[in-house]
Amino acid sequence: MIKKVDLSLFLGLLILMIAVSISGCVHSSSNGTQKYNDEFISFDYPSDFRYTSGHYHIVSGGENWKNVLIIGNGKVFININKNENTDSTLSDVKEMVAERVSAKDVADKGGKYLSDTLQTNDNGIEVESIITTINDPSDKKIVYKYINYYFKANTDVMYSIIIYGDEKNYVDIQSVADTVFNSLKINK
């Protein structure tokens, strides 16, 4: 009887381990981070983040942009969007963002347009970084801080990674954004 239970337990754990290992784009590392990895990009994020849905977020871009994943830990969230059909440059993105996320539009939502900079990380990835705040539409007392990263993975594929959360957690938001930015790589 014990051998049948042990065998069942072993088989159950083996199936679980196989399912987790082939589930794809997320795996843990020993430095307290997990890695997001798809066919075009990879980056690290905190190990306590999990898949989430239903949390207020914004999808960037127009009709060709697809929401890929939203992960978070209850205080900070990462929203990954991808456009696989673009010939836009980062200059085009800056123009698009200027139209969609203008200082006036942000101010009309009770927020602030804080910065817009072009940065290159140590892996050579050129990123347009835009920081804004916006009031939560359902509770005007809550102000969300957004750090938006726009970058090209190749000539046809562009990403938007948005790190956001309640402005009260700005230190955590900035820490997660730094982890994502510094570890961001293009898969070749």
Side-chain angles (χ1 to χ4, degrees):
M1 180 84 161
I2 291 176
K3 290 187 183 210
K4 285 184 181 182
V5 172
D6 287 342
L7 182 58
S8 296
L9 182 62
F10 173 76
L11 288 175
L13 288 173
L14 182 63
I15 291 169
L16 180 63
M17 287 173 47
I18 290 171
V20 168
S21 68
I22 61 176
S23 65
C25 60
V26 175
H27 71 277
S28 294
S29 76
S30 60
N31 65 354
T33 62
Q34 296 184 70
K35 183 173 286 296
Y36 172 83
N37 193 13
D38 70 14
E39 66 183 299
F40 299 108
I41 67 167
S42 66
F43 62 84
D44 295 340
Y45 62 91
S47 61
D48 65 336
F49 276 44
R50 302 289 178 257
Y51 171 78
T52 186
S53 64
H55 191 272
Y56 176 72
H57 66 281
I58 51 178
V59 176
S60 57
E63 64 190 44
N64 291 325
W65 287 89
K66 305 289 186 253
N67 185 269
V68 177
L69 181 68
I70 303 171
I71 52 178
N73 65 1
K75 293 195 303 187
V76 179
F77 300 87
I78 301 173
N79 183 359
I80 305 164
N81 300 286
K82 177 169 48 173
N83 184 339
E84 292 189 52
N85 187 24
T86 184
D87 57 2
S88 299
T89 65
L90 282 177
S91 296
D92 296 334
V93 168
K94 189 169 185 161
E95 189 174 308
M96 174 197 71
V97 170
E99 290 172 12
R100 291 180 45 87
V101 188
S102 72
K104 181 186 179 327
D105 289 340
V106 171
D108 287 347
K109 295 176 183 171
K112 296 176 186 167
Y113 194 96
L114 302 175
S115 70
D116 182 348
T117 58
L118 186 61
Q119 306 173 56
T120 303
N121 74 4
D122 289 343
N123 298 315
I125 312 303
E126 192 174 53
V127 175
E128 186 72 30
S129 172
I130 299 163
I131 302 175
T132 60
T133 61
I134 296 183
N135 287 348
D136 186 317
S138 62
D139 184 351
K140 299 294 184 197
K141 294 177 188 169
I142 299 174
V143 177
Y144 284 99
K145 182 150 291 195
Y146 292 88
I147 300 175
N148 302 271
Y149 293 142
Y150 294 91
F151 60 94
K152 297 280 290 196
N154 64 34
T155 56
D156 297 327
V157 180
M158 183 170 283
Y159 280 84
S160 163
I161 299 176
I162 306 168
I163 299 95
Y164 63 99
D166 188 324
E167 187 176 43
K168 295 174 192 168
N169 299 319
Y170 183 67
V171 171
D172 295 330
I173 296 166
Q174 186 63 56
S175 176
V176 171
D178 290 345
T179 298
V180 169
F181 177 78
N182 292 324
S183 65
L184 182 62
K185 294 180 183 173
I186 303 296
N187 297 334
K188 300 190 186 216

